[in-house]
Amino acid sequence: MAAPLTLLLIVAVTIRAVLFRSSLAELISARVEVVSPLNAWKRVVEGLALLDLGVSPYSGDVFHETPLMIYLFHFTVDYAEIVFIIADGITALALYLSIQTYNKDVFRKQKYALESDRYSADCLELLRSPKEMFYIPLKVAMFYLLNPFTILSCVAKSTCGLNNAIIALFIFCTLKGSALLSGILLALATYQSIYPLTLFAPALLFFLQRLYIPVNLRRSSFWFFTLQYAFMYVGSLVVITGLSFFLLGSWDFIPSVYGFIFSVPDLTPNIGLFWYFFAEMFEHFRLFFSCVFQINVFFYTIPLSIKLKEHPVFLIFMQIAIISIFKSYPTVGDVALYMAFLPAWSHLYRFLRNIFLVSCVLLACSALFPVLWHLWIYAGSANSNFYYAITLLFNFGQILLVADYFYAYLRREHHLTHGLYLKKKDGTEATLVLK
Amino acid sequence: MGLLSDPSRRKVLTGLLTRLNTPICGMPVEWLVKAMQSRGLEVFTQSFSRKLPFPDENKERYMVRGTNVYGILRAPRAPRTEALVISAPCSPGDSNNQAVGLLLALAQYFRNQVYWAKDIIFLVNEHDLMGTQAWLEAYHHTNITGMEYSPLQGRAGSIQAALSLELSSDVITSLDLILEGLNGQLPNLDLANLFYAFCQKLGVLCTIQGKLQRNDWDTAEGYTHAAQTMMLMVLKQACGRSWGDHGLFLRYHIEAASVRGINSFRHYKTDAATIGRLLEGMVRKLNNLLERLHQSYFFYLLPSLSRFVSIGCYMLAFGLLVVILLLRGVTEAQQVSLPSGPGVLTVLTPVVISHLTGVALYLLPVHLQEMAVEHFPVSETEAVVLTAVAIYTAGLALPHNTQRLLSGEGTEQGWKVLKLTALLYLAVLLGCTALINFSLGFILAVTLVPITASMTPHMPKALSALVMVLLSPAFTVLYCVFIYQELIEAPVSVSEGWMLFLSVISQGILDHALYGSLVYPLLALFIYPCWLMFWNILFWS
C-alpha cells in the first residue's frame, strides 16, 4: 500500500503547489468560509510583525493564536507554504495508519465475537471481510488530501491545517495505545482551541477498552486509570501553558485566545451559527446566549459517551463532527477533518437513509456560499439573511449527515446481535426506530 | 476568408485601430482642463495603460494608452462625504461629439447653484469602458483587472449614483435609457423610474432597447412588442457585457444608468437645452437622496418603461426548469444501487477529462495565438477565435477517445452514476448562474434542460447527437446572435451572422480579460464540460 499512498501524496502536493503559485491563492485567503479570525494567515503575519517590534502580539485584538504557534512561525515564516503542505501530509499519514490499526482491531473483535457466538445467525452479510477493508485506509487518506475543503484551507494558509494535524496525531497515538503521547497531544490540541477537550472521553473509553478495564464507576481500577490519564493530560496542559507564559513573559494570551473563543466578540460572517445570532441580540443577553451556545458543544459528550461506550472510535468521529459544527468560528478545514473518516464507515451505506439529500444539500450550499456573499457584499442586492440561510442549510446538512451515520451505526450493531430480518411477535416484519 | 475580407469589418477594425493606437490625435486634454478650470471646477487628469490580450495586426503587442480628465464641483456648504458622477465618454470622430459640450454647459450652470449637498464629478474618459474602469479602480483603490493607472490626485467621497451621457447630435428625437451592466447587473429600478418620470414631465420621448412605448397593452401587437422588448433585455443581459459606461459603476454598488440621444426621422425634436434641464432635474433628485437607492427591485425585466417583471415572477419559471433536473436526479439515484469502488472511478475519468477540455478551451486560445499566427495566414484576433472554435469541435470527438482509454467499462451502472453526477452538477451550476445573471441562466436552462434530462445511451444515436450539438452552448450563442439581430430590426444573412458570432466570441474573451466579465469563463470552464459529460453519456457503449 506504500506505492498508492506515495502517489496520492505526490498528487496532493502537486495540486497544492500549483495553487500556491497561481493568482487564486490571494483570492482564497480572503474568503470568510476558509479563514476565520482565529486562524487567518494575515493575522499570524501581523502578530509576527508585532513580536519583532518587541510589542506583545496580543495588543490590538488582531492576533488570536497561541504563543507556541507564533514561535513555530517565527522560525518558519519563510517556508510557510511547505509547513502547511507537510501538516496536511502528516494528517493524512496519521489518519491512514490510525484507520489501518482500527481495521485490524475491528476484524480481530469480529473474529472473537463470531467465535463466542455473539452474533445472530442471519447477519452474515453484515460482517466485514479484510478484502473489503483493504482499501479503506487509502480512501481515508484520499478523502482528506483531495477534499476541496482541505485544499482550500491549505492554500489559504489557515492554521486550521496544523490543528487538524495535531488532532490526527492524537487519534493515531490513541489507537496505537500510547496513553502518555495521547495525553500530551490532546493537551496540545486543547491548548490550540479549547474544544478538543471533549475528545478526552472517547480517548479514555478507548484505553479502558484496550486494557480490559470495565467502565464501572464503582471499580477502583476504572478510577485508577482515569486519574492516571487525567493527570497526564492536565499535567501536559499545565506544562504547555506554563511554557507559553515563559515564552512571552505574560498571561495575555489567555484572554486573547481562550477569552476570544468563548466570548465571540468578532462577528465576521463565517459558516457557523454564532455570528448572525450575536449580531442581532441585545447586549444584556449576550452572556446568557454565549453560555448556551458554548454549552451546546460540550453537552453532547456525556449522552454520546454513554451510548457509544463500546465504540470509542466512532465516538471520536461524532465528537469531531459536533465540534466542527457547533464551534464558535468554524471553517471548511474543520469540516474536512471529520469527512475524512467517512470511508471507514462505508459498510453502513445500506442503512443510511438520507445520504443523497445530505450530499446534495452540502454540495449546493458549498456552491452557493460565494454566490450569495457576492450578491450581499458586492452587488448589494441581497443581505445577511440570504447568507445566513445558506449557513443554516449547510449546518443542517452536516447535522443530518452525522445523525444519519449514528443511526446507521447503531442499527448495524442491533442487527448483529438481534438478527437482520426482525419480526414482531406476530411474525410480521418489524421496523426499527431510533429512540 | 477571415474577419478582414469583409470591407465593412475592415472599416470597423481600422476605426478601432485608429482610436486605440493614437497617442497624438487623442483626447484634447489641455483644452478640457482649461475649459473645466474656467468653469470653476477642480480639475485633475489620470493616465492609464493596458496591454490587450490579442495584439493588433501590425504584429506588435499593443498597449492602449489614454487619459481621463475629471473636474470636481465641490458642494458649497455640505461635508464632502458623498459624490455624484456625470460622465461622457470622449470618442474621436462624430460619435458622442455633443456629450462633452453638454457636460461643460451643465458644469457651468451647476456652479452657480447653492443647493448641492454632494460633490459632483464631471468625468470625461477616453476609450469608453477602459477609461471608466481605470478611473473606478483608482478611485476605489483596487486593481482587479491588471490595468496600470496613475493614482488619482483629487477625490470626492463615496459615489452615490452616476449617469453616463452619449449624444451624437445637438437635436434629438428620443432618449434611450440603457440599464444593463457588467455580468447582467442592473441598477435599482428606482433610477429607471426616476428617469422616465422626468422625461414624461418635460415631454421628452424616452425609449428602452431603442423601441418606443406602446399604449395598447391588450392587443396582440402590443403584447408582441412588449415581449420583443423584454427578449432584447434578456439577450443583452445574458451576454454579460456592459452596454454603456455605467455598467462598470454597478460593480462598486453605485447605481448608474446610461442615457443615449437618438436622432431619427420624427418631426418633434428636442434641443440640447431641454436635455440639459432634464439632466439637471435628475441630478438634483439624486442630490437629495439621503441614502443609496435600495428600496426598489434590483432584479427585474422591463417589457416597457412603465411595466416590469419582478424576480418573484420570473424566478419561478426558472425554478421549475431546474426542478426537472432535480427530479430526474432523484429518479436516477433510486435506480442506482450501491456504488462500488470501481464505479466511482469510472465516473471520475469522464468528469476529469471534460473539465480538462474546458480548461483547454479557456486557456489555450489566448496563449497559443503566436503559434497559430506563425503557421496560418490569419490575424491574431482570428487566431484566438478560430482556436476556440477548433477546441470546442475537438471536444466532440472525446467520447470515442476516452472509451478507448478506459477498459472494461460500459456497464449500465456506469452511465447512470455519470448522469446523476452531471444532472446535479448542471442544476447547481444553473442555480448559481441564475442568481447572479438571471438571463444567462435562463437561456442556458431552456436549451440544456430538455435534452439533458432525457439523455440516455439507448436513444437513436445520430438524431440525438444532432440535437445535442444543435442545443450546445456555442449554438445557443449563435441563435442568440440571430435573434438579437431580428429583434433590433437589422436582420443579417447567414454569413454575416457567422462573422458576428465570431466577433461575439472575441468580444467575450476580451471582456473577460479587460473588465472581469464572467460569461466566457463560465461557458468554457463549467457549462461546456457539463455538456461534454452528457455527450459522453450519449456515446456510452
Side-chain angles (χ1 to χ4, degrees), chain B residues 4 36 59 71 80 107 120 125 141 144 146 162 166 170 187 203 233 257 264 266 296 360 404 413 457 486 503:
Chain B
L4 295 181
M36 285 193 185
K59 310 249 182 325
R80 290 152 185 208
I120 305 184
N125 49 310
H141 305 294
I144 35 186
E166 292 176 35
D170 48 355
M233 180 166 179
S264 65
R266 296 181 76 86
S296 181
R404 259 181 251 144
Q413 190 80 320
E486 280 289 332
S503 71

PDB file of all heavy atoms in Angstrom, chain B residues 4 36 59 71 80 107 120 125 141 144 146 162 166 170 187 203 233 257 264 266 296 360 404 413 457 486 503:
ATOM      1  N   LEU B   4     -11.059  40.002 -42.001  1.00  0.00           N
ATOM      2  CA  LEU B   4     -10.653  41.219 -42.692  1.00  0.00           C
ATOM      3  C   LEU B   4     -11.066  41.237 -44.149  1.00  0.00           C
ATOM      4  O   LEU B   4     -10.802  42.191 -44.862  1.00  0.00           O
ATOM      5  CB  LEU B   4      -9.130  41.375 -42.615  1.00  0.00           C
ATOM      6  CG  LEU B   4      -8.610  41.588 -41.198  1.00  0.00           C
ATOM      7  CD1 LEU B   4      -7.115  41.743 -41.230  1.00  0.00           C
ATOM      8  CD2 LEU B   4      -9.228  42.812 -40.581  1.00  0.00           C
ATOM      9  N   MET B  36     -12.620  73.210 -18.136  1.00  0.00           N
ATOM     10  CA  MET B  36     -13.218  72.904 -16.829  1.00  0.00           C
ATOM     11  C   MET B  36     -12.744  73.875 -15.771  1.00  0.00           C
ATOM     12  O   MET B  36     -13.518  74.283 -14.908  1.00  0.00           O
ATOM     13  CB  MET B  36     -12.868  71.468 -16.426  1.00  0.00           C
ATOM     14  CG  MET B  36     -13.652  70.416 -17.166  1.00  0.00           C
ATOM     15  SD  MET B  36     -13.414  68.830 -16.341  1.00  0.00           S
ATOM     16  CE  MET B  36     -14.263  67.756 -17.436  1.00  0.00           C
ATOM     17  N   LYS B  59       1.532  43.270 -35.984  1.00  0.00           N
ATOM     18  CA  LYS B  59       2.463  42.290 -35.458  1.00  0.00           C
ATOM     19  C   LYS B  59       3.241  42.820 -34.266  1.00  0.00           C
ATOM     20  O   LYS B  59       4.378  42.448 -34.055  1.00  0.00           O
ATOM     21  CB  LYS B  59       3.459  41.801 -36.532  1.00  0.00           C
ATOM     22  CG  LYS B  59       2.830  41.363 -37.800  1.00  0.00           C
ATOM     23  CD  LYS B  59       2.960  39.894 -37.993  1.00  0.00           C
ATOM     24  CE  LYS B  59       2.377  39.395 -39.310  1.00  0.00           C
ATOM     25  NZ  LYS B  59       1.207  40.064 -39.804  1.00  0.00           N
ATOM     26  N   GLY B  71     -13.373  66.811 -13.459  1.00  0.00           N
ATOM     27  CA  GLY B  71     -13.446  68.025 -12.660  1.00  0.00           C
ATOM     28  C   GLY B  71     -14.438  67.825 -11.540  1.00  0.00           C
ATOM     29  O   GLY B  71     -15.489  67.211 -11.723  1.00  0.00           O
ATOM     30  N   ARG B  80     -17.932  66.892   2.723  1.00  0.00           N
ATOM     31  CA  ARG B  80     -17.646  66.253   1.447  1.00  0.00           C
ATOM     32  C   ARG B  80     -17.588  64.738   1.578  1.00  0.00           C
ATOM     33  O   ARG B  80     -16.572  64.126   1.369  1.00  0.00           O
ATOM     34  CB  ARG B  80     -16.317  66.755   0.912  1.00  0.00           C
ATOM     35  CG  ARG B  80     -16.498  68.168   0.519  1.00  0.00           C
ATOM     36  CD  ARG B  80     -15.279  68.951   0.607  1.00  0.00           C
ATOM     37  NE  ARG B  80     -15.574  70.338   0.330  1.00  0.00           N
ATOM     38  CZ  ARG B  80     -14.675  71.144  -0.188  1.00  0.00           C
ATOM     39  NH1 ARG B  80     -13.490  70.674  -0.489  1.00  0.00           N
ATOM     40  NH2 ARG B  80     -14.972  72.402  -0.390  1.00  0.00           N
ATOM     41  N   ALA B 107     -21.866  71.862 -16.174  1.00  0.00           N
ATOM     42  CA  ALA B 107     -20.927  72.239 -15.115  1.00  0.00           C
ATOM     43  C   ALA B 107     -21.029  73.728 -14.838  1.00  0.00           C
ATOM     44  O   ALA B 107     -21.065  74.163 -13.681  1.00  0.00           O
ATOM     45  CB  ALA B 107     -19.501  71.861 -15.522  1.00  0.00           C
ATOM     46  N   ILE B 120     -20.049  66.980  -7.143  1.00  0.00           N
ATOM     47  CA  ILE B 120     -20.372  66.408  -8.446  1.00  0.00           C
ATOM     48  C   ILE B 120     -19.095  66.288  -9.251  1.00  0.00           C
ATOM     49  O   ILE B 120     -18.331  67.237  -9.380  1.00  0.00           O
ATOM     50  CB  ILE B 120     -21.380  67.293  -9.195  1.00  0.00           C
ATOM     51  CG1 ILE B 120     -22.597  67.501  -8.316  1.00  0.00           C
ATOM     52  CG2 ILE B 120     -21.791  66.636 -10.496  1.00  0.00           C
ATOM     53  CD1 ILE B 120     -23.674  68.261  -8.982  1.00  0.00           C
ATOM     54  N   ASN B 125     -13.924  60.428 -20.068  1.00  0.00           N
ATOM     55  CA  ASN B 125     -12.993  59.317 -20.116  1.00  0.00           C
ATOM     56  C   ASN B 125     -12.670  58.944 -21.552  1.00  0.00           C
ATOM     57  O   ASN B 125     -13.472  59.131 -22.461  1.00  0.00           O
ATOM     58  CB  ASN B 125     -13.552  58.098 -19.361  1.00  0.00           C
ATOM     59  CG  ASN B 125     -14.962  57.788 -19.778  1.00  0.00           C
ATOM     60  OD1 ASN B 125     -15.811  58.649 -19.805  1.00  0.00           O
ATOM     61  ND2 ASN B 125     -15.210  56.562 -20.116  1.00  0.00           N
ATOM     62  N   HIS B 141      -9.251  52.278  -5.016  1.00  0.00           N
ATOM     63  CA  HIS B 141      -8.001  51.658  -4.573  1.00  0.00           C
ATOM     64  C   HIS B 141      -8.021  50.148  -4.743  1.00  0.00           C
ATOM     65  O   HIS B 141      -7.618  49.416  -3.864  1.00  0.00           O
ATOM     66  CB  HIS B 141      -7.708  51.985  -3.098  1.00  0.00           C
ATOM     67  CG  HIS B 141      -7.684  53.445  -2.829  1.00  0.00           C
ATOM     68  ND1 HIS B 141      -6.736  54.286  -3.349  1.00  0.00           N
ATOM     69  CD2 HIS B 141      -8.522  54.219  -2.116  1.00  0.00           C
ATOM     70  CE1 HIS B 141      -6.985  55.509  -2.950  1.00  0.00           C
ATOM     71  NE2 HIS B 141      -8.059  55.510  -2.208  1.00  0.00           N
ATOM     72  N   ILE B 144      -8.412  45.003  -9.921  1.00  0.00           N
ATOM     73  CA  ILE B 144      -8.901  43.665 -10.197  1.00  0.00           C
ATOM     74  C   ILE B 144      -8.664  43.226 -11.625  1.00  0.00           C
ATOM     75  O   ILE B 144      -8.791  42.066 -11.940  1.00  0.00           O
ATOM     76  CB  ILE B 144     -10.403  43.543  -9.888  1.00  0.00           C
ATOM     77  CG1 ILE B 144     -11.114  44.845 -10.219  1.00  0.00           C
ATOM     78  CG2 ILE B 144     -10.625  43.178  -8.460  1.00  0.00           C
ATOM     79  CD1 ILE B 144     -12.547  44.834  -9.802  1.00  0.00           C
ATOM     80  N   GLY B 146      -5.859  44.224 -13.652  1.00  0.00           N
ATOM     81  CA  GLY B 146      -4.500  44.332 -14.177  1.00  0.00           C
ATOM     82  C   GLY B 146      -4.250  45.566 -14.995  1.00  0.00           C
ATOM     83  O   GLY B 146      -3.361  45.590 -15.834  1.00  0.00           O
ATOM     84  N   ALA B 162     -24.418  57.521 -10.562  1.00  0.00           N
ATOM     85  CA  ALA B 162     -23.675  58.001 -11.728  1.00  0.00           C
ATOM     86  C   ALA B 162     -24.566  57.981 -12.955  1.00  0.00           C
ATOM     87  O   ALA B 162     -25.457  57.135 -13.074  1.00  0.00           O
ATOM     88  CB  ALA B 162     -22.446  57.121 -11.968  1.00  0.00           C
ATOM     89  N   GLU B 166     -24.399  59.849 -23.771  1.00  0.00           N
ATOM     90  CA  GLU B 166     -23.904  59.646 -25.133  1.00  0.00           C
ATOM     91  C   GLU B 166     -24.797  60.437 -26.063  1.00  0.00           C
ATOM     92  O   GLU B 166     -25.972  60.122 -26.235  1.00  0.00           O
ATOM     93  CB  GLU B 166     -23.955  58.167 -25.494  1.00  0.00           C
ATOM     94  CG  GLU B 166     -22.976  57.325 -24.710  1.00  0.00           C
ATOM     95  CD  GLU B 166     -23.139  55.861 -25.024  1.00  0.00           C
ATOM     96  OE1 GLU B 166     -23.437  55.535 -26.180  1.00  0.00           O
ATOM     97  OE2 GLU B 166     -22.996  55.041 -24.110  1.00  0.00           O
ATOM     98  N   ASP B 170     -26.971  67.539 -31.864  1.00  0.00           N
ATOM     99  CA  ASP B 170     -27.429  68.546 -30.913  1.00  0.00           C
ATOM    100  C   ASP B 170     -28.945  68.609 -30.801  1.00  0.00           C
ATOM    101  O   ASP B 170     -29.462  69.238 -29.895  1.00  0.00           O
ATOM    102  CB  ASP B 170     -26.848  69.923 -31.254  1.00  0.00           C
ATOM    103  CG  ASP B 170     -27.020  70.240 -32.715  1.00  0.00           C
ATOM    104  OD1 ASP B 170     -27.501  69.355 -33.476  1.00  0.00           O
ATOM    105  OD2 ASP B 170     -26.679  71.353 -33.103  1.00  0.00           O
ATOM    106  N   PRO B 187     -29.080  48.427 -12.369  1.00  0.00           N
ATOM    107  CA  PRO B 187     -29.230  49.388 -11.276  1.00  0.00           C
ATOM    108  C   PRO B 187     -30.591  49.223 -10.634  1.00  0.00           C
ATOM    109  O   PRO B 187     -31.444  48.520 -11.148  1.00  0.00           O
ATOM    110  CB  PRO B 187     -29.114  50.735 -11.984  1.00  0.00           C
ATOM    111  CG  PRO B 187     -29.558  50.469 -13.362  1.00  0.00           C
ATOM    112  CD  PRO B 187     -29.172  49.060 -13.678  1.00  0.00           C
ATOM    113  N   GLY B 203     -41.753  66.178 -21.348  1.00  0.00           N
ATOM    114  CA  GLY B 203     -42.253  65.909 -22.678  1.00  0.00           C
ATOM    115  C   GLY B 203     -41.211  65.394 -23.636  1.00  0.00           C
ATOM    116  O   GLY B 203     -41.337  65.524 -24.842  1.00  0.00           O
ATOM    117  N   MET B 233     -33.939  42.744 -23.756  1.00  0.00           N
ATOM    118  CA  MET B 233     -33.261  42.976 -22.481  1.00  0.00           C
ATOM    119  C   MET B 233     -32.631  41.682 -21.973  1.00  0.00           C
ATOM    120  O   MET B 233     -31.509  41.692 -21.464  1.00  0.00           O
ATOM    121  CB  MET B 233     -34.268  43.494 -21.450  1.00  0.00           C
ATOM    122  CG  MET B 233     -33.593  43.748 -20.137  1.00  0.00           C
ATOM    123  SD  MET B 233     -34.624  44.712 -19.074  1.00  0.00           S
ATOM    124  CE  MET B 233     -33.600  44.803 -17.645  1.00  0.00           C
ATOM    125  N   ALA B 257     -26.794  54.626 -14.710  1.00  0.00           N
ATOM    126  CA  ALA B 257     -27.513  54.341 -15.951  1.00  0.00           C
ATOM    127  C   ALA B 257     -26.874  55.164 -17.059  1.00  0.00           C
ATOM    128  O   ALA B 257     -26.251  56.190 -16.797  1.00  0.00           O
ATOM    129  CB  ALA B 257     -28.988  54.689 -15.817  1.00  0.00           C
ATOM    130  N   SER B 264     -33.733  60.401 -34.897  1.00  0.00           N
ATOM    131  CA  SER B 264     -34.305  59.648 -36.017  1.00  0.00           C
ATOM    132  C   SER B 264     -35.288  60.543 -36.776  1.00  0.00           C
ATOM    133  O   SER B 264     -35.334  61.739 -36.554  1.00  0.00           O
ATOM    134  CB  SER B 264     -34.988  58.394 -35.484  1.00  0.00           C
ATOM    135  OG  SER B 264     -36.077  58.759 -34.695  1.00  0.00           O
ATOM    136  N   ARG B 266     -38.279  61.973 -37.006  1.00  0.00           N
ATOM    137  CA  ARG B 266     -39.563  62.374 -36.444  1.00  0.00           C
ATOM    138  C   ARG B 266     -39.635  63.886 -36.561  1.00  0.00           C
ATOM    139  O   ARG B 266     -38.629  64.569 -36.672  1.00  0.00           O
ATOM    140  CB  ARG B 266     -39.653  61.986 -34.978  1.00  0.00           C
ATOM    141  CG  ARG B 266     -39.606  60.496 -34.741  1.00  0.00           C
ATOM    142  CD  ARG B 266     -39.716  60.217 -33.269  1.00  0.00           C
ATOM    143  NE  ARG B 266     -41.066  60.370 -32.787  1.00  0.00           N
ATOM    144  CZ  ARG B 266     -41.975  59.399 -32.840  1.00  0.00           C
ATOM    145  NH1 ARG B 266     -41.678  58.229 -33.351  1.00  0.00           N
ATOM    146  NH2 ARG B 266     -43.183  59.604 -32.381  1.00  0.00           N
ATOM    147  N   SER B 296     -36.201  49.827  -4.211  1.00  0.00           N
ATOM    148  CA  SER B 296     -36.935  49.109  -5.252  1.00  0.00           C
ATOM    149  C   SER B 296     -36.145  47.866  -5.665  1.00  0.00           C
ATOM    150  O   SER B 296     -35.150  47.523  -5.062  1.00  0.00           O
ATOM    151  CB  SER B 296     -37.176  50.033  -6.429  1.00  0.00           C
ATOM    152  OG  SER B 296     -37.891  49.362  -7.427  1.00  0.00           O
ATOM    153  N   ALA B 360      -8.724  23.728 -21.261  1.00  0.00           N
ATOM    154  CA  ALA B 360      -8.027  23.984 -22.527  1.00  0.00           C
ATOM    155  C   ALA B 360      -8.759  25.047 -23.336  1.00  0.00           C
ATOM    156  O   ALA B 360      -8.143  25.961 -23.904  1.00  0.00           O
ATOM    157  CB  ALA B 360      -7.935  22.678 -23.329  1.00  0.00           C
ATOM    158  N   ARG B 404     -11.659   4.453 -25.454  1.00  0.00           N
ATOM    159  CA  ARG B 404     -10.513   3.601 -25.773  1.00  0.00           C
ATOM    160  C   ARG B 404      -9.532   3.533 -24.615  1.00  0.00           C
ATOM    161  O   ARG B 404      -8.844   2.556 -24.402  1.00  0.00           O
ATOM    162  CB  ARG B 404      -9.799   4.120 -27.018  1.00  0.00           C
ATOM    163  CG  ARG B 404     -10.163   3.313 -28.251  1.00  0.00           C
ATOM    164  CD  ARG B 404      -9.446   3.806 -29.472  1.00  0.00           C
ATOM    165  NE  ARG B 404     -10.375   4.461 -30.372  1.00  0.00           N
ATOM    166  CZ  ARG B 404     -10.048   5.527 -31.097  1.00  0.00           C
ATOM    167  NH1 ARG B 404      -8.870   6.055 -31.004  1.00  0.00           N
ATOM    168  NH2 ARG B 404     -10.933   6.063 -31.904  1.00  0.00           N
ATOM    169  N   GLN B 413     -24.646   0.521 -14.922  1.00  0.00           N
ATOM    170  CA  GLN B 413     -24.431   1.310 -13.723  1.00  0.00           C
ATOM    171  C   GLN B 413     -23.645   2.580 -14.018  1.00  0.00           C
ATOM    172  O   GLN B 413     -23.938   3.645 -13.513  1.00  0.00           O
ATOM    173  CB  GLN B 413     -23.616   0.444 -12.755  1.00  0.00           C
ATOM    174  CG  GLN B 413     -23.489   0.958 -11.389  1.00  0.00           C
ATOM    175  CD  GLN B 413     -24.702   0.657 -10.603  1.00  0.00           C
ATOM    176  OE1 GLN B 413     -25.813   0.740 -11.096  1.00  0.00           O
ATOM    177  NE2 GLN B 413     -24.519   0.291  -9.363  1.00  0.00           N
ATOM    178  N   PRO B 457     -28.058   6.458 -23.199  1.00  0.00           N
ATOM    179  CA  PRO B 457     -27.302   5.921 -24.348  1.00  0.00           C
ATOM    180  C   PRO B 457     -28.166   5.121 -25.311  1.00  0.00           C
ATOM    181  O   PRO B 457     -27.700   4.729 -26.364  1.00  0.00           O
ATOM    182  CB  PRO B 457     -26.249   5.008 -23.704  1.00  0.00           C
ATOM    183  CG  PRO B 457     -26.275   5.324 -22.271  1.00  0.00           C
ATOM    184  CD  PRO B 457     -27.618   5.836 -21.942  1.00  0.00           C
ATOM    185  N   GLU B 486     -32.597  40.056 -35.372  1.00  0.00           N
ATOM    186  CA  GLU B 486     -34.004  40.136 -35.777  1.00  0.00           C
ATOM    187  C   GLU B 486     -34.743  41.147 -34.934  1.00  0.00           C
ATOM    188  O   GLU B 486     -35.526  41.946 -35.443  1.00  0.00           O
ATOM    189  CB  GLU B 486     -34.678  38.767 -35.571  1.00  0.00           C
ATOM    190  CG  GLU B 486     -34.421  37.766 -36.655  1.00  0.00           C
ATOM    191  CD  GLU B 486     -35.147  38.130 -37.935  1.00  0.00           C
ATOM    192  OE1 GLU B 486     -36.208  38.791 -37.864  1.00  0.00           O
ATOM    193  OE2 GLU B 486     -34.631  37.773 -39.003  1.00  0.00           O
ATOM    194  N   SER B 503     -17.158  37.484 -33.881  1.00  0.00           N
ATOM    195  CA  SER B 503     -16.766  38.697 -33.172  1.00  0.00           C
ATOM    196  C   SER B 503     -17.330  38.702 -31.760  1.00  0.00           C
ATOM    197  O   SER B 503     -16.732  39.262 -30.847  1.00  0.00           O
ATOM    198  CB  SER B 503     -17.215  39.936 -33.928  1.00  0.00           C
ATOM    199  OG  SER B 503     -18.602  40.068 -33.841  1.00  0.00           O
TER     200      SER B 503
END
